[in-house]
Amino acid sequence: MSAKPRKPRPDAPAAPAPAGAGTGAANPLWGGRFAAAPAEVMQRINASIGFDRALYAQDIAGSKAHARMLARQGIIGRADAEAIVAGLDRIQHEIEGGTFQFKTELEDIHMNVEARLAELIGEPAGRLHTARSRNDQVATDLRLWVREALDALASALRDLQHRLIDKAARHAATVMPGYTHLQPAQPVTFGHHLLAYVEMFGRDRGRLEDARRRLNECPLGAAALAGTSFAIDRDETARELGFERPAANSMDAVADRDFVLEFLAAAAIAAVHLSRLGEEIVLWASPAYGFVRLSDAFATGSSIMPQKRNPDAAELVRAKAGRIVGALQALLVVLKGLPLAYAKDLQEDKEPAFDAAASLALAIAAMTGMVADMEADEAAMAAAAERGYITATDLADWLVRVLGLPFRRAHHATGRLVKLAAEKGCGLESLALAEMQAVEPGITAEVYSVLAVARSVESRTSFGGTAPANVRAAAAKARERFA
């Protein structure tokens, strides 16, 4: 006896459609060549409206510029252009008001806008796509979006720099250990350490600004890949959209995503710099260092250990770098094997860019908040600077400068004195003069003047050095340079 068919559970997923099965008529905007609709899975892999709706403002701006240019060139009627622009304004109002219905079957933001425009104004909507393609349309939209993201991120980095400069000026004379290999190396000031990040973020801003200059060419009018036979004015649309010039080659205009790569590369470098500062805050806030304290606004607790104060914001800034570096890697791999001109692979350029921009903006905002919030424990920093024989280089320099020893001999003698101090469990400044002279007979009592940590810091007056006077001057100049 055959088994009775089972009733599907109410929450069971629907069975997949057979291969090749469609879900309706062919797409009304491009389906003239096709007799049947695409398979359901084809619709899902082909559709980008789930993420490229973020380009709605740029898409509408580009379409309005294109319609006005077509009318001025006599390619479409002025009344049609006015109807198109008015319809596009209404669509933007609907999207921003949350009443616009995005449809997956219309694939992307361009076709969703165009279909709604046809509902609103009828036949004139069909004239908008004259002398353009979705290929140059999306390239233009994305350049506009990336340009705005670059401007916003550069501005956010400027704010972070100024919070760092404020803190650096306040701690121009706060002594702390400087490290190499995470080992105590030489004394520096906290202000000097923070200004190092001001320089890093200044270069990051420069990379973002350079990327903006290079991307500021307009693809609109390149059409699918070969240009158009219509007498369009690409200079006009470029000017209206704030570009410096039209892209010079129609194939490059639609196929190029260098500008996204350059944005992601600049974003990845900035994220790495943020991650390094985040790592330092994690270390500094730990009891093992105790150099800084974050307020409750930037710390979290543990679900099981009541004593914990975790620097989670700094840890998450550190982690965001992985996402942003991954976005760059993903797009590099997408692009590496693509022949000219356009291929649908380029649909995968947007999500990495959108995610990287959002992740970097959040990381910068969090770091800006932490820098303003954190309070330095000057006593803990000073105590740490007394450990690890970090004035040993000052001793070696004194042997060269005062006794005229070759540096290598001075280095060797200093190493022997450090070894002696370590064996005695004391600092260099606590060694007796006779003990020092047993290693290097020419040493005099004057040597003790260079073994104090504060004196070491004050002596580093070379350009870019850590002397407090240098740090105060550098902070003032940085405020001007990075205004």
Side-chain angles (χ1 to χ4, degrees):
M1 190 169 74
S2 61
K4 293 175 65 176
R6 295 182 180 178
K7 292 180 68 175
R9 299 195 324 270
D11 60 344
T23 58
N27 191 295
L29 299 184
W30 55 254
R33 169 68 176 80
F34 294 80
E40 184 273 337
V41 70
M42 176 60 191
Q43 286 195 2
R44 284 193 287 121
I45 197 171
N46 194 46
S48 58
I49 190 60
F51 52 86
D52 71 14
R53 66 177 66 186
L55 299 174
Y56 77 88
Q58 293 78 17
D59 194 69
I60 288 171
S63 290
K64 288 161 67 174
H66 186 66
R68 292 186 184 110
M69 180 276 296
L70 290 176
R72 278 192 281 268
Q73 294 297 107
I75 297 169
I76 67 173
R78 190 167 299 276
D80 285 345
E82 290 172 355
I84 288 168
V85 170
L88 291 169
D89 285 338
R90 180 171 170 183
I91 290 169
Q92 183 159 353
H93 180 75
E94 289 176 355
I95 293 173
E96 292 172 352
T99 61
F100 187 91
Q101 184 181 358
F102 292 99
K103 298 176 181 178
T104 302
E105 63 270 21
L106 293 175
E107 298 180 10
D108 56 34
I109 186 61
H110 325 297
M111 292 169 67
N112 269 266
V113 168
E114 187 174 333
R116 177 59 177 150
L117 186 63
E119 292 174 356
L120 291 173
I121 69 171
E123 184 177 296
R127 303 187 188 282
L128 173 60
H129 212 52
T130 307
R132 77 172 184 186
S133 161
R134 280 190 293 174
N135 295 355
D136 61 335
Q137 191 178 356
V138 70
T140 302
D141 293 356
L142 191 54
R143 280 180 186 259
L144 289 169
W145 188 93
V146 170
R147 191 174 70 186
E148 292 174 17
L150 289 166
D151 290 343
L153 291 167
S155 177
L157 283 172
R158 177 195 175 279
D159 291 343
L160 172 55
Q161 286 181 290
H162 282 265
R163 298 295 78 73
L164 285 164
I165 293 167
D166 291 343
K167 194 76 71 174
R170 193 180 317 157
H171 291 285
T174 300
V175 175
M176 68 177 291
Y179 297 91
T180 62
H181 309 277
L182 263 186
Q183 302 297 313
Q186 290 180 277
V188 297
T189 71
F190 189 41
H192 190 61
H193 196 126
L194 295 178
L195 287 179
Y197 284 100
V198 172
E199 296 298 323
M200 292 184 202
F201 295 132
R203 293 191 294 274
D204 292 330
R205 282 177 62 188
R207 276 182 280 269
L208 295 174
E209 290 158 3
D210 287 346
R212 189 194 198 283
R213 279 191 289 272
R214 267 184 290 278
L215 76 73
N216 209 26
E217 297 182 345
C218 185
L220 197 58
L225 77 161
T228 178
S229 59
F230 289 96
I232 61 173
D233 186 341
R234 293 190 61 208
D235 288 296
E236 179 186 328
T237 48
R239 279 193 302 271
E240 181 167 342
L241 294 171
F243 290 106
E244 290 185 10
R245 64 188 72 85
N249 181 282
S250 61
M251 294 182 74
D252 178 56
V254 299
D256 166 47
R257 292 299 184 272
D258 298 4
F259 67 96
V260 187
L261 285 177
E262 191 169 5
F263 160 59
L264 290 174
I269 296 170
V272 167
H273 288 156
L274 287 164
S275 180
R276 295 182 73 178
L277 180 52
E279 168 68 4
E280 298 219 82
I281 291 174
V282 170
L283 291 173
W284 292 342
S286 70
Y289 284 75
F291 290 177
V292 303
R293 179 180 174 84
L294 295 171
S295 77
D296 291 351
F298 286 94
T300 64
S302 164
S303 64
I304 188 172
M305 295 169 284
Q307 82 281 10
K308 295 293 293 297
R309 298 187 81 260
N310 300 325
D312 282 3
E315 293 170 8
L316 288 166
V317 165
R318 193 173 58 187
K320 293 292 183 186
R323 291 178 67 146
I324 297 166
V325 171
L328 171 61
Q329 178 69 13
L331 188 56
L332 283 167
V333 173
V334 167
L335 292 174
K336 72 174 183 64
L338 292 187
L340 295 180
Y342 183 84
K344 201 61 178 268
D345 309 53
L346 293 176
Q347 186 165 288
E348 294 298 317
D349 59 358
K350 296 167 198 63
E351 287 183 284
F354 295 163
D355 185 75
S359 296
L360 184 57
L362 183 57
I364 294 171
M367 185 58 72
T368 303
M370 279 187 288
V371 167
D373 178 81
M374 68 181 179
E375 292 296 330
D377 188 328
E378 298 181 22
M381 290 181 176
E386 296 292 339
R387 299 189 291 269
Y389 310 103
I390 64 174
T391 58
T393 304
D394 298 89
L395 172 55
D397 288 346
W398 185 88
L399 294 173
V400 171
R401 186 171 57 251
V402 176
L403 302 187
L405 270 60
F407 183 78
R408 285 302 165 207
R409 178 177 164 186
H411 185 286
H412 182 74
T414 301
R416 290 178 62 192
L417 289 170
V418 168
K419 183 175 183 291
L420 176 62
E423 289 170 350
K424 292 172 64 69
C426 68
L428 285 170
E429 72 283 358
S430 297
L431 290 175
L433 180 58
E435 291 175 310
M436 291 191 181
Q437 290 172 336
V439 172
E440 183 54 57
I443 293 177
T444 68
E446 181 189 339
V447 74
Y448 291 103
S449 68
V450 301
L451 298 182
V453 168
R455 177 70 185 90
S456 172
V457 168
E458 289 168 2
S459 72
R460 305 293 168 178
T461 56
S462 61
F463 180 78
T466 191
N470 281 29
V471 175
R472 292 186 187 96
K477 287 181 180 178
R479 205 179 298 281
E480 294 176 6
R481 287 167 55 211
F482 299 117

